[in-house]
Structure formats: structure tokens, C-alpha cells
Amino acid sequence: MKALFLTIITILVVAIGAQVYKNYAAPVVPYVQPQENNNQERPPLSFEGDVFPTELKTDPATGDKIFEGLGVRFRVPGEFSAYVWTVTPGKIESVIVQTPEDEKRAKEILAQENLGGKGFGPPATGVSFELNEEHLTLDDRIRRGGLRKDQYDLINIAGEDAVRFESQSAGGPVVYFVTPNMRYIVTIGIGYEEFQGYGNIVQYQKAFDYILSTLEFTQ
């Protein structure tokens, strides 16, 4: 697997002590273009069932990308590309958010040969869903991740307790929580490599904050 996506899954999963699955297939990267409103009736923006969507819908009124699945709904600002990526179907699945320019650079990196498993890709904000097979509580997850009390803050997201900390391995903030039905551990994080010249993450902080502010539980 190319280094870019290994880096992204490190950002989203390793930062909280989860196991990294290797040798997975390259992801499908659909890009949803914002649509004109034209005063037409807005189509449904929801997905049914306990499933991970194959792509994100676009709100024609705002251009926002909308994720709805696995009991969670959130929005991504319209100026970003947002695509789904399945690592291990049903166990680790993610939404990757990048600027169109960084998405283009990511594709160019993927197209390069002889990377040798080295190097890093452009920055990204990501949302990862990990199946909570052991029915861990948030406290269990904190202990499993090895975080000390002085290393994280307890916050509230959509009425549920969550953990926020700065991840040295990811290079940016990470938030994680357990969904109310205990089925998934959700991780939201920013990853970048400052020494590679990708240190300006203001836009990714915007996407991170917007996802957190619009997140809600549907189950």
C-alpha cells in the first residue's frame, strides 16, 4: 500500500492505540461536485440502515458534503473534497477530507512508482469508524490507548462524552468517542507533516471544527 494512505490510517487509528491493518486494496475515491440549487425541492440527504455509505451526498443549497451512516450524521464544508475509504469492510472505515489541491497531490503521489513505503502525503482531516467488537466504554478506550489524565481533555459532542488530545504521531488534534449504541469507536483527527512543507493546517482545522459542530447521532 502506498505511503499516503498508510499515513492517513496512522493518523486516524494508531493515534489511539488501535491495530493497523496492512495489505488492503487501494480505495475508491469518488468526488461529489456541488450542485446548483435552482430553487428545486431538495432531495433526501439520508442513508438507511446500519451501513457505511459508498459516497457522500451533496446539499444543493450549501454545497456541504453530508455523511450519514452507522448511526452518525455530519457535514463537511463544500470547498473540500470528501471521499470514503474502507480499510477492513465492516471493521475500519473512514471519510477523508482534503482540499481539491491536496487531493490532486495525493493522487499524484499514489501514481508514483517505487515509493518504497517511505514519504508522506498532503494533510487531511479524517473521520474513522472502528467496530467496537469488545463493547468498550469510553473509559475502557482511554485505558486501552494508554492516555494519562494530563494528556487529554474530556469534552461533549452531541450529548456524548468524548476525548480530545494532541497526537504527536498524527501531528494534530484527535477526538474520539463511542457511539451511544456502543457499536463504533469514532475518531476525528487532523494529520500533517510540518517538515514536509505541509504545516499550514488552518483550512483543515476549519473542516475538523465544522465536522464536530454538525455531528449528531441518528440512532
Side-chain angles (χ1 to χ4, degrees):
M1 186 60 200
K2 301 293 188 180
L4 169 65
F5 290 97
L6 182 58
T7 300
I8 292 175
I9 198 59
T10 300
I11 292 167
L12 300 177
V13 181
V14 172
I16 59 171
Q19 178 182 2
V20 177
Y21 290 86
K22 298 182 179 180
N23 301 321
Y24 40 83
V28 176
V29 184
Y31 175 59
V32 183
Q33 292 283 0
Q35 303 174 9
E36 296 293 334
N37 188 9
N38 295 329
N39 296 319
Q40 297 179 356
E41 183 178 352
R42 292 168 60 177
L45 293 170
S46 64
F47 296 86
E48 296 181 357
D50 189 24
V51 298
F52 190 77
T54 56
E55 62 179 331
L56 278 69
K57 298 235 178 181
T58 299
D59 184 340
T62 64
D64 285 356
K65 282 76 173 179
I66 299 179
F67 174 92
E68 185 167 359
L70 308 185
V72 173
R73 181 190 296 120
F74 61 83
R75 288 174 172 256
V76 175
E79 64 264 34
F80 289 87
S81 299
Y83 50 92
V84 298
W85 173 40
T86 296
V87 179
T88 303
K91 291 190 176 183
I92 300 179
E93 298 170 303
S94 302
V95 177
I96 306 302
V97 178
Q98 293 181 302
T99 64
E101 295 78 14
D102 284 337
E103 183 194 21
K104 179 181 177 181
R105 287 200 295 165
K107 290 180 178 179
E108 290 172 351
I109 291 173
L110 283 174
Q112 295 175 12
E113 297 181 356
N114 302 318
L115 289 180
K118 298 180 181 180
F120 296 88
T125 296
V127 183
S128 177
F129 294 79
E130 178 187 358
L131 184 63
N132 190 12
E133 295 180 293
E134 299 179 67
H135 304 288
L136 300 178
T137 65
L138 182 61
D139 287 340
D140 293 334
R141 199 67 184 90
I142 292 171
R143 287 192 291 269
R144 183 70 61 86
L147 289 174
R148 303 189 311 267
K149 288 186 177 181
D150 62 342
Q151 293 177 315
Y152 65 87
D153 295 314
L154 283 176
I155 63 174
N156 186 280
I157 298 178
E160 296 294 320
D161 289 336
V163 166
R164 176 171 178 148
F165 63 98
E166 295 293 323
S167 170
Q168 292 182 351
S169 61
V174 174
V175 166
Y176 67 83
F177 56 87
V178 180
T179 56
N181 60 12
M182 299 292 293
R183 285 185 59 80
Y184 300 96
I185 298 167
V186 182
T187 307
I188 305 172
I190 301 175
Y192 68 100
E193 292 298 326
E194 190 169 7
F195 68 89
Q196 291 285 347
Y198 303 144
N200 183 8
I201 61 164
V202 173
Q203 66 270 50
Y204 290 101
Q205 184 70 56
K206 175 184 176 180
F208 179 86
D209 292 339
Y210 194 67
I211 289 168
L212 291 180
S213 68
T214 60
L215 190 144
E216 57 185 314
F217 299 108
T218 59
Q219 295 179 2

